[in-house]
Amino acid sequence: MTALISDALITVVLAATPDPNFDPNTVTPGVVGFVAIFFVAAATVLLCLDVVRRIRRTTYRAEIKARLDAELAARDNDPNAPRTPGDKPE
């Protein structure tokens, strides 16, 4: 078991060791890197739009609830207002 782990560790270390002829200044991400970053950016924009939409919807619902509560309170304070849609004022 330890031989298997040590072999895997040696493989990882050798894979991480840079080639002596490798020039790090000539490395570019290429098309694959551009596509990956593009998808990450697009997903971020879509998530931000969704969050803004949900926050806006929650705010509107709170405003409508406050308006309805104010209308109900005003109706309850008015003795001449009908209590149900079929009632007549007293």
Side-chain angles (χ1 to χ4, degrees):
M1 182 69 166
T2 57
L4 182 63
I5 293 173
S6 65
D7 287 343
L9 184 61
I10 290 172
T11 305
V12 169
V13 170
L14 289 177
T17 306
D19 185 17
N21 299 327
F22 178 71
D23 183 14
N25 295 325
T26 61
V27 176
T28 62
V31 175
V32 175
F34 173 77
V35 170
I37 295 300
F38 178 79
F39 281 128
V40 168
T44 302
V45 168
L46 292 175
L47 284 173
C48 289
L49 290 174
D50 185 52
V51 167
V52 167
R53 183 176 51 111
R54 288 172 187 268
I55 290 172
R56 190 174 293 146
R57 185 185 313 152
T58 303
T59 304
Y60 289 153
R61 284 181 180 168
E63 289 175 4
I64 290 171
K65 185 177 182 324
R67 286 182 191 170
L68 289 174
D69 290 343
E71 287 178 9
L72 288 175
R75 185 196 70 187
D76 290 342
N77 290 335
D78 185 10
N80 295 327
R83 298 296 174 219
T84 59
D87 287 348
K88 301 213 186 294
E90 297 173 4

